[in-house]
Amino acid sequence: MRRRRKYYNSKGFLFAALLTIFLVSGYFLFSNKTFQYCSNENYLLGIHDSLPIIEINYNNYRNDILEEITIKLNKETCCKKNEFLLKLSTNEMVNVTLFNYCRSCGVICGGYSFTRVLINRDNLALVNERPIASDSLANYIYEFLKKSDSDYNHVENCMLDWDLTTNKESIEQAFIDIKKGYQLYYEEIALQKFGKPICELTQKETEAIKREESSIYLGVGNRICEPPPPPPIQ
């Protein structure tokens, strides 16, 4: 009897592993498809009706983008986490967070561990300053998310930045790919823990696998930590 139970457990694990491989492979086969997310996926990816929805002009200067976001959110954004839904030209929604480091914030360092994604002026993707194939960004984020907390490459948050002349299409595709990387991660966790896809999870099961952070931080709000000014000469 014990051997039979062990056999079935192994069989179930193999099925879950094969299904995960199928899901990941399916993404690359149909990467141009517009995905429709179920309510559980929207919850895990931070797509909530309570959040404001805005669009932005990506090809403005940093300060102009920050001013545009501040105006559209109709609130002060300095020194605060500002979470909202970014509406892409495809009408897809992406959960993003802006922390606007203004001069009045003082020195704010640490507290977050970011995987930094840059889409440069040549529309090429760089992750943590290393170039990667643009069509592999979703899988790259997915692989990072699976790493344990003790791993050097463990990811807590993703930060997306771009150059002034980067194409709008390349920027928005990066948002979509990062979002899909999170979705692939959640799909695997759902299969591992509960043996079923995300959309079939109960509310309690969905809440159990949600990460503390599933947002994409906007690089335009980030400032490199600088030392405080020296004290005045007396």
Side-chain angles (χ1 to χ4, degrees):
M1 185 67 69
R2 292 180 180 176
R3 291 181 180 178
R4 183 175 299 176
R5 185 179 297 128
K6 183 177 180 181
Y7 169 76
Y8 284 125
N9 289 341
S10 300
K11 187 175 180 180
F13 176 79
L14 179 61
F15 172 76
L18 291 173
L19 185 55
T20 301
I21 294 171
F22 171 78
L23 290 167
V24 176
S25 301
Y27 162 72
F28 291 105
L29 289 173
F30 303 101
S31 58
N32 293 324
K33 176 183 176 182
T34 300
F35 281 77
Q36 297 294 326
Y37 294 95
C38 68
S39 58
N40 285 350
E41 289 172 319
N42 282 333
Y43 168 77
L44 293 170
L45 296 170
I47 311 301
H48 307 303
D49 294 337
S50 59
L51 293 174
I53 302 172
I54 69 172
E55 301 176 65
I56 61 175
N57 185 345
Y58 308 102
N59 299 119
N60 276 337
Y61 287 100
R62 174 185 181 277
N63 288 339
D64 293 332
I65 294 176
L66 293 174
E67 182 179 3
E68 179 186 9
I69 294 174
T70 300
I71 292 172
K72 290 183 175 180
L73 292 180
N74 193 29
K75 66 175 184 178
E76 180 56 62
T77 60
C78 278
C79 313
K80 299 176 182 177
K81 282 178 63 176
N82 303 274
E83 185 181 6
F84 56 92
L85 298 181
L86 179 65
K87 184 178 180 181
L88 308 182
S89 56
T90 59
N91 291 324
E92 184 165 349
M93 302 293 179
V94 181
N95 181 298
V96 299
T97 296
L98 168 72
F99 193 106
N100 186 4
Y101 288 86
C102 303
R103 292 184 182 275
S104 59
C105 300
V107 178
I108 303 177
C109 300
Y112 292 98
S113 173
F114 291 109
T115 286
R116 297 176 181 272
V117 179
L118 169 67
I119 309 301
N120 67 14
R121 66 190 66 186
D122 297 318
N123 305 304
L124 301 177
L126 290 86
V127 176
N128 294 333
E129 301 182 355
R130 295 183 179 181
I132 65 167
S134 296
D135 60 358
S136 67
L137 180 57
N139 191 54
Y140 209 91
I141 297 300
Y142 160 71
E143 292 293 339
F144 261 159
L145 290 168
K146 294 195 300 180
K147 296 182 182 294
S148 64
D149 293 1
S150 59
D151 193 291
Y152 177 77
N153 291 316
H154 170 67
V155 173
E156 290 182 8
N157 308 274
C158 291
M159 177 176 286
L160 178 60
D161 210 344
W162 56 88
D163 288 327
L164 182 64
T165 57
T166 303
N167 287 344
K168 175 181 179 180
E169 293 77 13
S170 298
I171 297 169
E172 293 198 335
Q173 187 60 51
F175 276 114
I176 292 171
D177 286 343
I178 295 173
K179 179 180 176 181
K180 286 178 180 175
Y182 274 105
Q183 191 271 340
L184 290 171
Y185 162 81
Y186 279 126
E187 193 67 62
E188 178 169 303
I189 298 301
L191 290 169
Q192 287 180 350
K193 288 195 171 184
F194 303 109
K196 51 187 176 181
I198 296 174
C199 297
E200 296 180 12
L201 297 180
T202 65
Q203 181 179 346
K204 186 176 181 180
E205 290 169 341
T206 305
E207 292 172 351
I209 67 171
K210 182 170 175 57
R211 295 170 64 92
E212 184 176 347
E213 292 277 358
S214 296
S215 186
I216 304 171
Y217 280 69
L218 297 181
V220 293
N222 185 56
R223 286 185 185 275
I224 298 174
C225 294
E226 299 176 351
I233 299 175
Q234 296 180 351

